[in-house]
Every structure is written in structure tokens, then in C-alpha cells.
């Protein structure tokens, strides 16, 4: 812990703090609303369970200003060849459209599902290098507006 002698502020490094995360989210939403005119942040999920009620797959996403951001999509290994990833993704895109979104952004490590998203019409927009194992984080975008390319959305 350190103290700034001029402002008498304290800087603390600690484990994950959900209360801090919530407050930072609130503050950034308020800050971002002024220059963008968009303050309509929301979130949703898609969940798949088996007959025993166990999680077989799911997706977590957020929406803001007509953009849907996919945070996580996961399918249990024994359900991956049954098309559940595609079903979950299509359900999320439909929900995003219902919520007024016309585009989706997602990122996936090169060892995860970048090819999966590209097969579903997502276009790579950039990469973050330095992922362990000499991998990259692939950033992708998809327009939900029929016939519209990413460059036409800018």
C-alpha cells in the first residue's frame, strides 16, 4: 500500500473485488454515455442444460449502443460435435437483434474458436499478441444487418 503525499490518496493492490468491478462499470458507463450518446448497457445469457440439469453449454454477452459483445461461449466436450456451439451463437445473435443490436464483437484465442466464429460470418479486425504458448487473441466483428459489411457499419 502506498500513499500519495499531495492528494492523500491510497493505492491498494488486492484480489478480485466484485464491488470495485461494479462501481468501475457504473462509472465507465456514465463516462462513455457523454461522447457516444449511448447509455443503454445491458447483458444476457444463453444456457443449455442436459436431462439431469447439468450445464452443457452457454454464452454470456453484453449490449450497448447497438453493439453486442460476446464475453464467453463454452460447450461441454461431449456436446461439441452436436452443433450446440452454433445453436447457442445463433440464439445469442437473435437475442441481440431483439435488443436492437445490428452488430456483434467477440474475441477468441487462436487455440480456441476463432475458426468457428469465422465460419459463422465473423471477420477478423485485429489481434493481440503475447498470449501464452505463442498464441494470439483474435478480435472479430459481424454485422447483423443483412448484406452490410463491417466497413459499411463505420
Amino acid at each position: 500500500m502506498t500513499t500519495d503525499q499531495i492528494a492523500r490518496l491510497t493505492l491498494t493492490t488486492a484480489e478480485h473485488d466484485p464491488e470495485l468491478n461494479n462501481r468501475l462499470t457504473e462509472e465507465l458507463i456514465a463516462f462513455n454515455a457523454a461522447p457516444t450518446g449511448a447509455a443503454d448497457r445491458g447483458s444476457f445469457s444463453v444456457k443449455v442444460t442436459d436431462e439431469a440439469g447439468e450445464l452443457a453449454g452457454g454464452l454470456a454477452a453484453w449490449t450497448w449502443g447497438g453493439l453486442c459483445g460476446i464475453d464467453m461461449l463454452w460447450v461441454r466436450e461431449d456436446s461439441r460435435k452436436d452443433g450446440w456451439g452454433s445453436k447457442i451463437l445463433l440464439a445469442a445473435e437473435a437475442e441481440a437483434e431483439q435488443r436492437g443490436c445490428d452488430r456483434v464483437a467477440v474475441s477468441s484465442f487462436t487455440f480456441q474458436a476463432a475458426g468457428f466464429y469465422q465460419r459463422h460470418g465473423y471477420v477478423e479486425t485485429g489481434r493481440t499478441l503475447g498470449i501464452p504458448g505463442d498464441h494470439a487473441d483474435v478480435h472479430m466483428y459481424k454485422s447483423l444487418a443483412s448484406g452490410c459489411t463491417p466497413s459499411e457499419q463505420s
Side-chain angles (χ1 to χ4, degrees), residues 13-56:
T13 302
E15 295 297 320
H16 176 72
D17 182 343
E19 186 177 316
L20 175 62
N21 277 27
N22 289 339
R23 176 67 187 273
L24 293 174
T25 298
E26 290 171 14
E27 296 294 342
L28 285 171
I29 288 170
F31 179 85
N32 293 345
T36 64
D40 60 340
R41 184 162 167 88
S43 59
F44 68 91
S45 62
V46 178
K47 182 178 178 180
V48 177
T49 54
D50 64 19
E51 59 279 349
E54 295 296 320
L55 184 65

Side-chain angles (χ1 to χ4, degrees), residues 3 9 23 34 50-51 65 68 73 81 91 96 99 119 130 132-133 146:
T3 303
L9 300 177
R23 176 67 187 273
D50 64 19
E51 59 279 349
C68 173
L73 189 160
K81 299 295 182 198
R99 291 169 176 249
R119 287 190 300 277
S146 150

Side-chain angles (χ1 to χ4, degrees), residues 128-137:
T128 301
L129 305 177
I131 303 303
D134 201 28
H135 293 283
D137 191 2

